[in-house]
C-alpha cells in the first residue's frame, strides 16, 4: 500500500482526492441545519448525525432503511422515527429539509426509483446530499461479476477492518453513474447544485501490479467515457421552491 501511494503521489492531486473523506469533511456539514428535518436514507445502524450534533442543531432525524434490524442497532435516541421500507418504491410526504444518502445508491436495485423517492421526500427548497461509487469503476465491474459470498470472503480477507464495519452489502450500481444521476435528477424536478468527481479508491492499493492495471484501466475508460469514468462522485440536488415561496 505504501508503494502504491508513493506511485499515486506522482499523479495530479485531483486524481488522489478521496471522495468519501471529501464528502464528510466539505459537504456533509452543510446538511446540519438548525431545526431541520433530516432523512437519513440507508444509514441503518450507522446514522450520519450523532447525538451531540442532533442536540446542538435541534434536528429531527428520520431513518429510512430497508432493514428494521439495522436501524434498531443505531445509537439510542438518534432516530425520531424509523421507516423500514424499500427506497426504490417509497414515496414521501415532501417534508424533508435535508436528505442524506451516503454510499447507498449503489445498493439499490432500481436507481430511478430511488431518485424518485428522494425527490418525493424533499420539501420545496430542500436538498439531497449524495455520495456513491460509479458503476464504471473497475471495482464495481468486478463486484457485479462475482457471487456475493465470494466477494465478501475476498473483501474481508484483504481488508479485515471492513468485516466489522458497514460493508459487504449486495451492490447493484443501477443507474449509478454521474450522467445517469444527473438525468434522473432532472426527470424528477431536481436541480444539480454541485457535482464533484473523484478518481481514486483503496481496493487495488494492496497489490502494486493490480494497482497499475487499475490506473491503466481508469485512463482507458476516461478516453471512452469522459467524466462518466469517475471512481466515485458527489451530488447536491435541490428541489426548487414553489413559485409563491420564491417571490
Amino acid at each position: 500500500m505504501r508503494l502504491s501511494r508513493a506511485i499515486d503521489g506522482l499523479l495530479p492531486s485531483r486524481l488522489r482526492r478521496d471522495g468519501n473523506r471529501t464528502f464528510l469533511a466539505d459537504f456533509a456539514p452543510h446538511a446540519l441545519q438548525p431545526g431541520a428535518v433530516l432523512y437519513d436514507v440507508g444509514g441503518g445502524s450507522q446514522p450520519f448525525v450523532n447525538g451531540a450534533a442532533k442536540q446542538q442543531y435541534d434536528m429531527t432525524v428520520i431513518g429510512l432503511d430497508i432493514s428494521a434490524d439495522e436501524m434498531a442497532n443505531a445509537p439510542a435516541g438518534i432516530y425520531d422515527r424509523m421507516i423500514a421500507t424499500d427506497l426504490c418504491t417509497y414515496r414521501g410526504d415532501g417534508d424533508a429539509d435535508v436528505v442524506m444518502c451516503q454510499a447507498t445508491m449503489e445498493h439499490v436495485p432500481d436507481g430511478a426509483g430511488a431518485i424518485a423517492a428522494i425527490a418525493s421526500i424533499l420539501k420545496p427548497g430542500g436538498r439531497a446530499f449524495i455520495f456513491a461509487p460509479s458503476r464504471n469503476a473497475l471495482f464495481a465491474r468486478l463486484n457485479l461479476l462475482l457471487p456475493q459470498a465470494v466477494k465478501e470472503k475476498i473483501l474481508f480477507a484483504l481488508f479485515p477492518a471492513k468485516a466489522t464495519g458497514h460493508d459487504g452489502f449486495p451492490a447493484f450500481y443501477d443507474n449509478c453513474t454521474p450522467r445517469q444521476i444527473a438525468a434522473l435528477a432532472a426527470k424528477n424536478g431536481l436541480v444539480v447544485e454541485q457535482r464533484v468527481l473523484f478518481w481514486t479508491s483503496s481496493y487495488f492499493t494492496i497489490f502494486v501490479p493490480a494497482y497499475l492495471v487499475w490506473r491503466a484501466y481508469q485512463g482507458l475508460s476516461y478516453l471512452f467515457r469522459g467524466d462518466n469514468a469517475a471512481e466515485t462522485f458527489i451530488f447536491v440536488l435541490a428541489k426548487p421552491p414553489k413559485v409563491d415561496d420564491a417571490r
Side-chain angles (χ1 to χ4, degrees), residues 35-123:
V37 174
L38 182 147
Y39 276 67
D40 193 330
V41 173
S45 61
Q46 298 185 3
F48 160 68
V49 177
N50 59 35
K54 180 183 177 182
Q55 183 176 10
Q56 178 183 352
Y57 290 94
D58 190 26
M59 301 177 72
T60 299
V61 181
I62 299 171
L64 193 155
D65 196 285
I66 197 168
S67 172
D69 291 338
E70 277 287 317
M71 289 188 288
N73 288 321
I78 292 296
Y79 294 132
D80 295 286
R81 182 159 62 100
M82 293 184 286
I83 304 172
T85 188
D86 184 350
L87 178 66
C88 302
T89 57
Y90 180 76
R91 294 299 177 265
D93 298 323
D95 60 339
D97 297 290
V98 177
V99 170
M100 176 60 59
C101 184
Q102 181 187 3
T104 296
M105 285 299 300
E106 70 271 27
H107 296 295
V108 300
D110 178 11
I115 294 296
I118 289 172
S120 73
I121 294 169
L122 286 171
K123 66 169 59 172

Side-chain angles (χ1 to χ4, degrees), residues 220-241:
L220 186 62
S221 179
Y222 181 78
L223 291 177
F224 291 94
R225 300 187 176 110
D227 287 350
N228 230 29
E231 200 84 354
T232 59
F233 54 82
I234 292 172
F235 275 87
V236 179
L237 305 177
K239 191 170 188 176

Side-chain angles (χ1 to χ4, degrees), residues 128-192:
F129 295 79
I130 298 173
F131 168 78
S134 173
R135 181 185 181 90
N136 290 328
L138 182 56
F139 71 82
R141 293 293 184 177
L142 293 175
N143 200 341
L144 290 169
L145 289 174
L146 295 173
Q148 181 64 24
V150 174
K151 290 185 291 189
E152 290 180 8
K153 287 182 179 180
I154 294 174
L155 177 67
F156 299 150
L158 297 178
F159 299 93
K162 292 183 180 291
T164 58
H166 205 229
D167 297 279
F169 293 112
F172 304 95
Y173 302 98
D174 182 71
N175 281 290
C176 201
T177 69
R179 290 177 196 162
Q180 289 171 324
I181 296 296
L184 289 172
K187 182 178 179 181
N188 288 279
L190 301 178
V191 176
V192 177

Side-chain angles (χ1 to χ4, degrees), residues 200-244:
T200 192
S201 60
S202 62
Y203 290 104
F204 300 102
T205 58
I206 59 171
F207 185 51
V208 174
Y211 159 82
L212 294 173
V213 169
W214 160 62
R215 279 300 193 190
Y217 168 89
Q218 194 179 68
L220 186 62
S221 179
Y222 181 78
L223 291 177
F224 291 94
R225 300 187 176 110
D227 287 350
N228 230 29
E231 200 84 354
T232 59
F233 54 82
I234 292 172
F235 275 87
V236 179
L237 305 177
K239 191 170 188 176
K242 293 180 180 178
V243 176
D244 290 343

